[in-house]
């Protein structure tokens, strides 16, 4: 997801996303962080932040969303004809 897409979904500006990513400001506004968390939750991504680390957990749905759409086409299913007795 691009910074532009994330900014649109979180209803903030792309420069705001850029500042957060580059840690330009120590603490972004809490409502912006809440909006970003919600975007990630909606995409199936859980973000946990502690004093020591950041943990990002992707659900299967979130991982599938990362694949190019042409890779998600189902493979043809062939049924076996009934056996004659």
């Amino acid at each position: 997801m691009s910074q532009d897409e994330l900014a649109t979904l979180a209803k903030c500006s792309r420069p705001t996303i850029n500042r957060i990513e580059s840690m330009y400001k120590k603490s972004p506004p809490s409502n912006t962080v809440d909006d970003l968390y919600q975007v990630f939750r909606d995409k199936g991504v859980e973000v946990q932040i502690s004093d020591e680390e950041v943990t990002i957990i992707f659900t299967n749905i979130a991982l599938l969303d990362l694949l190019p759409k042409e890779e998600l086409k189902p493979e043809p299913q062939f049924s076996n004809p009934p056996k004659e007795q």
Side-chain angles (χ1 to χ4, degrees):
M1 176 183 313
S2 70
Q3 286 184 344
D4 287 326
E5 292 169 312
L6 181 57
T8 299
L9 291 171
K11 299 177 183 82
C12 66
S13 68
R14 192 212 38 83
T16 297
I17 300 299
N18 190 29
R19 282 192 299 274
I20 292 169
E21 285 184 355
S22 66
M23 302 295 279
Y24 178 73
K25 285 187 173 183
K26 195 115 175 129
S27 298
S30 62
N31 63 323
T32 301
V33 173
D34 291 341
D35 291 341
L36 289 169
Y37 276 139
Q38 188 59 52
V39 169
F40 291 125
R41 280 191 296 270
D42 291 346
K43 295 286 185 179
V45 178
E46 181 182 343
V47 180
Q48 301 170 353
I49 300 175
S50 70
D51 292 337
E52 301 289 322
E53 63 186 9
V54 174
T55 304
I56 301 173
I57 301 168
F58 294 89
T59 63
N60 289 342
I61 291 172
L63 293 173
L64 287 173
D65 196 39
L66 295 173
L67 292 175
K69 298 305 175 209
E70 61 270 6
E71 290 186 31
L72 297 178
K73 291 180 183 174
E75 293 184 20
Q77 300 293 316
F78 299 101
S79 60
N80 294 328
K83 293 182 181 180
E84 294 182 28
Q85 295 182 338

